[in-house]
Amino acid sequence: MSGGVPAGWVLVPIEPTEAMRDDGIWALPAHSYNVDVGVIWSAMLSAVPTPTPPIEGRDADVDRVDHAIEMVLHHSSLNGTIEQIEQAARQIRAALQALGER
């Protein structure tokens, strides 16, 4: 057991993150009624974020920029929709603006 988590187990958020939902959706086979829930679950688990302690101040802004950049890369690699990529870009702009105001 590592850090209170039994072998073969992982910690996951109470609610799936957007990245987890996206990976689960992309794991669905196109035009098929034969869905393997294990494949979807594995895809969602691959996107589980690593818990980090809360960050405050300027470091929090840098963390938000970093997260937004990761989301752009994630959606781009999954052929994300233009809306998803634009939303991530707006998050980057807002975080950068917050950094500039400090």
Side-chain angles (χ1 to χ4, degrees), residues 3-20:
V5 180
W9 290 67
V10 295
L11 293 175
V12 297
I14 292 171
E15 294 293 326
T17 64
E18 183 176 346
M20 291 172 68

Side-chain angles (χ1 to χ4, degrees), residues 3-101:
V5 180
W9 290 67
V10 295
L11 293 175
V12 297
I14 292 171
E15 294 293 326
T17 64
E18 183 176 346
M20 291 172 68
R21 287 190 297 271
D22 288 348
D23 283 7
I25 290 170
W26 284 103
L28 288 169
H31 310 294
S32 175
Y33 295 104
N34 187 13
V35 176
D36 182 348
V37 175
V39 170
I40 297 167
W41 182 246
S42 292
M44 291 178 74
L45 287 180
S46 72
V48 170
T50 303
T52 55
I55 302 172
E56 296 179 9
R58 185 174 177 89
D59 289 339
D61 293 329
V62 171
D63 191 54
R64 281 194 288 277
V65 171
D66 187 51
H67 174 73
I69 290 169
E70 287 297 321
M71 292 306 297
V72 168
L73 295 173
H74 176 77
H75 288 302
S76 297
S77 69
L78 293 176
N79 295 321
T81 66
I82 294 296
E83 291 81 18
Q84 291 169 319
I85 295 169
E86 286 175 344
Q87 178 184 6
R90 283 192 296 275
Q91 291 173 346
I92 292 171
R93 279 194 218 79
L96 288 172
Q97 182 177 7
L99 278 173
E101 292 172 357

